[in-house]
Amino acid sequence: MGKAKAKGKQVKGKVKEATGKAVEDQGVQAEGRGEQAQGKVQEAAADVAKRAKRAGR
């Protein structure tokens, strides 16, 4: 997954978390936090892959 898609997942998670807060649904809030965490991990993995590719030149 690319860095842009990972950032998109983080944004989607923030929106979902905010929606959960607005409607007082802790389950939706947790899903949003989970999506944000997944996006951060995927972004870090994309960074590592990019650095590894550059180092392998």
Side-chain angles (χ1 to χ4, degrees):
M1 177 176 277
K3 196 169 183 176
K5 285 187 178 181
K7 282 284 189 188
K9 191 165 204 156
Q10 289 177 39
V11 170
K12 182 181 171 188
K14 285 183 183 189
V15 169
K16 191 177 270 189
E17 182 180 11
T19 302
K21 279 185 180 181
V23 298
E24 297 180 357
D25 186 335
Q26 291 182 351
V28 174
Q29 286 179 343
E31 286 178 27
R33 286 190 298 270
E35 283 186 22
Q36 288 177 61
Q38 286 177 342
K40 288 178 183 178
V41 168
Q42 290 168 347
E43 183 179 5
D47 284 341
V48 169
K50 185 176 181 180
R51 288 181 186 161
K53 188 175 180 180
R54 276 196 227 152
R57 286 186 188 178

